[in-house]
């Protein structure tokens, strides 16, 4: 297993375009994302071939304002809510899934900052467009030592790590080699460490069939000292933040599959006037089979999209008022998220079948879109164990994935 050579990337100068980003509103960020989508589509094959985002594509994303979407107004940010964030990610995914996936992961920096002491967060994240990568699931260990932790681990799926500044990694805390109990009586103490990307070895592992351009390589470290103030727990959020709830890092994820499925549907609808059934000579615009396939795909995608945005709006209203969503309301948000991934894959698979052999020839993007969706549906948040865990919460049973339950509620 080889290490991936990441060239030193100098800090991006404060150009005129970056100055404009400082003043962007939610509406302008969404408009810029929509404008970037066609350019991302043009670069999609290159992004897939390079297995990472080219530096100018990263800068294109940066100038949309996507990486600062969650930055609170108190720190000069636009403070987009979950609905607005999801709309931006969905717009970018209409252009390229890997770019949207990296944007969705990379913009979590301000969310993580809300779990750190305010002075620490301001000291670490001086760049409002700082990009953070890494996996929050506890794949590492952190031995408690004076002042902090000695951290070691090997994490998978570091999406965007090839262009990030900061890396996070989930760890289980030990003391004298023994597991340390977590807050609120949890049997294990799960924390997230924050460290510079230069502290980790990035491993050249991301040879995937889909989302190839996300650069989701493994990364590892041994015996890294991390000060305690550079770690956090989702159970210990600093009061007064603008994104309450530990699922804040998950809320905009459905934007990626929704945007890809929308792109596929638009693509097929554009092709319909040029095609016909050869055995019968029937134009596709008059074909019952085509009518049914496209209409059913629109029906399913619309239902999934409304479930995502409706549940996010309901959740947002409750949280803004200082309330706590009921178990059923929590379930609605999580199940809508899973449903978006699975519905998008189903929609694109049906469109792929409709186009038959034409779908496998370049430059048709349907093959890549289907592979991208197959890959993103392997993410832990789209697995059966999440659905089971929600059912267990609702019925008083035992969740099969306690970490997903902890994150979602």
């Amino acid at each position: 297993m080889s290490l991936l050579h990441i060239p030193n990337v100098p800090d991006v100068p404060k150009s005129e375009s970056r100055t404009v980003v400082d003043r962007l509103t939610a509406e302008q960020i969404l408009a810029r994302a929509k404008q970037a989508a066609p350019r991302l589509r043009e670069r999609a094959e290159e992004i897939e071939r390079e297995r990472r985002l080219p530096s100018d594509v990263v800068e294109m994303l940066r100038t949309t304002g996507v990486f600062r979407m969650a930055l609170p107004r108190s720190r000069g940010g636009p403070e987009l809510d979950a609905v607005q964030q999801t709309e931006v990610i969905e717009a970018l995914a209409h252009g390229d899934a890997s770019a949207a996936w990296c944007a969705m992961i990379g913009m979590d920096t301000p969310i993580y900052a809300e779990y750190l002491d305010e002075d620490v967060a301001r000291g670490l994240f001086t760049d409002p467009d700082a990009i953070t990568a890494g996996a929050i699931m506890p794949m590492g260990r952190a031995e408690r030592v004076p002042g902090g932790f000695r951290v070691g681990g090997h994490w998978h799926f570091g999406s965007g790590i090839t262009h990030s500044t900061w890396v996070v990694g989930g760890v289980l805390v030990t003391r004298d080699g023994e597991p340390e109990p977590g807050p609120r009586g949890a049997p294990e103490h799960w924390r997230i460490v924050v460290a510079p990307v230069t502290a980790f070895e990035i491993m050249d592992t991301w040879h995937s069939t889909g989302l190839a351009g996300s650069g989701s390589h493994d990364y590892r470290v041994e015996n890294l000292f991390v000060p305690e103030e550079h770690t956090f727990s989702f159970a210990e959020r600093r009061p007064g933040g603008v994104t309450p709830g530990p699922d804040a890092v998950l809320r905009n994820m459905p934007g990626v599959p929704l945007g890809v499925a929308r792109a596929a549907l638009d693509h097929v609808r554009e092709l319909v006037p040029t095609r016909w059934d050869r055995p019968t000579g029937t134009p596709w615009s008059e074909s019952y089979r085509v009518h049914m396939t496209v209409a059913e795909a629109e029906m399913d995608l619309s239902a999934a999209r409304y479930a995502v945005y409706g549940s996010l709006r309901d959740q947002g209203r409750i949280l803004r008022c200082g309330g706590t969503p009921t178990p059923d309301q929590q379930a609605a948000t999580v199940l809508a998220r899973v449903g978006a991934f699975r519905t998008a894959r189903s929609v694109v698979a049906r469109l792929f079948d409709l186009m038959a052999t034409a779908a496998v020839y370049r430059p048709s993007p349907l093959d890549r879109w289907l592979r991208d969706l197959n890959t993103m549906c392997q993410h832990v948040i789209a697995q059966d164990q999440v659905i089971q865990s929600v059912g267990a919460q609702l019925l008083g049973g035992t969740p099969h994935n306690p970490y997903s339950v902890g994150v979602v509620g």
Side-chain angles (χ1 to χ4, degrees):
M1 188 179 296
S2 62
L3 299 183
L4 186 68
H5 174 66
I6 305 296
N8 291 326
V9 180
D11 292 337
V12 179
K14 190 70 172 179
S15 62
E16 181 179 357
S17 62
R18 293 289 299 279
T19 304
V20 171
V21 173
D22 290 343
R23 301 188 296 271
L24 290 178
T25 64
E27 293 76 17
Q28 291 169 326
I29 292 172
L30 179 58
R32 286 191 168 205
K34 291 179 177 179
Q35 292 168 1
R39 290 182 286 162
L40 292 172
R41 181 79 60 84
E42 292 171 357
R43 303 290 295 278
E45 287 199 30
E46 176 192 358
I47 291 170
E48 181 175 52
R49 183 175 61 252
E50 295 297 319
R51 298 187 298 122
R52 60 183 293 175
L53 299 188
S55 58
D56 64 318
V57 171
V58 176
E59 182 60 14
M60 183 197 307
L61 292 174
R62 201 187 305 267
T63 55
T64 67
V66 66
F67 294 121
R68 62 172 61 198
M69 288 197 297
L71 193 69
R73 294 188 186 94
S74 61
R75 292 177 55 195
E79 198 177 306
L80 273 64
D81 62 25
V83 169
Q84 294 167 321
Q85 292 175 24
T86 306
E87 289 174 334
V88 172
I89 298 301
E90 184 181 20
L92 293 172
H94 198 270
D96 181 70
S98 289
W101 190 269
C102 287
M104 175 268 296
I105 297 290
M107 57 76 56
D108 288 337
T109 308
I111 297 175
Y112 297 138
E114 293 199 12
Y115 289 87
L116 299 170
D117 180 82
E118 187 170 0
D119 290 339
V120 173
R122 288 181 180 274
L124 285 178
F125 306 132
T126 55
D127 180 0
D129 297 303
I131 299 171
T132 301
I136 61 176
M137 298 300 281
M139 295 180 244
R141 295 278 176 175
E143 172 71 13
R144 189 177 290 279
V145 296
F149 303 94
R150 286 288 174 187
V151 175
H154 181 151
W155 293 263
H156 308 292
F157 311 119
S159 300
I161 199 167
T162 57
H163 57 261
S164 68
T165 302
W166 298 98
V167 171
V168 296
V171 295
L172 291 177
V173 177
T174 60
R175 187 191 294 266
D176 298 325
E178 296 297 324
E180 182 177 276
R184 302 178 185 175
E188 296 175 314
H189 192 171
W190 168 29
R191 295 190 75 79
I192 316 294
V193 301
V194 183
V197 66
T198 51
F200 297 87
E201 292 180 321
I202 302 173
M203 309 174 74
D204 190 3
T205 54
W206 191 242
H207 298 271
S208 62
T209 56
L211 287 182
S214 67
S216 302
H217 299 284
D218 290 13
Y219 58 104
R220 67 188 179 192
V221 73
E222 291 296 335
N223 201 33
L224 174 68
F225 175 74
V226 179
E228 182 157 14
E229 61 269 23
H230 292 183
T231 75
F232 65 90
S233 165
F234 283 120
E236 301 169 350
R237 181 173 167 274
R238 172 166 49 85
V242 299
T243 54
D247 67 332
V249 296
L250 306 180
R251 293 172 191 162
N252 60 20
M253 290 187 76
V256 184
L258 291 177
V260 172
R262 180 72 263 162
L265 260 166
D266 290 348
H267 174 72
V268 170
R269 288 177 61 176
E270 289 171 2
L271 292 177
V272 164
T274 68
R275 299 184 65 83
W276 65 94
D277 285 330
R278 290 183 180 178
T280 64
T282 303
W284 271 24
S285 59
E286 297 296 334
S287 168
Y288 182 88
R289 175 179 66 92
V290 176
H291 295 169
M292 288 297 296
T293 300
V294 171
E296 287 182 340
E298 289 282 5
M299 176 177 66
D300 292 347
L301 182 59
S302 294
R305 190 174 187 274
Y306 274 95
V308 166
Y309 284 104
S311 63
L312 287 176
R313 288 189 178 96
D314 289 345
Q315 182 192 58
R317 282 193 292 269
I318 294 167
L319 295 174
R320 282 193 298 273
C321 294
T324 301
T326 67
D328 280 23
Q329 290 165 334
Q330 288 180 329
T333 304
V334 179
L335 296 178
R337 184 183 305 136
V338 178
F341 278 81
R342 295 186 172 195
T343 300
R345 177 170 60 179
S346 172
V347 163
V348 175
R350 280 177 274 161
L351 297 174
F352 186 89
D353 289 344
L354 176 68
M355 296 303 299
T357 55
V360 304
Y361 287 99
R362 295 177 187 271
S364 171
L366 279 167
D367 177 68
R368 182 178 63 252
W369 284 329
L370 184 56
R371 288 185 285 107
D372 286 342
L373 282 162
N374 278 330
T375 296
M376 69 179 78
C377 281
Q378 300 307 109
H379 192 282
V380 65
I381 62 97
Q383 297 298 299
D384 287 349
Q385 59 187 269
V386 174
I387 301 175
Q388 182 277 332
S389 296
V390 170
Q393 279 191 314
L394 295 175
L395 301 175
T398 302
H400 288 179
N401 188 335
Y403 296 109
S404 69
V405 173
V407 171
V408 300

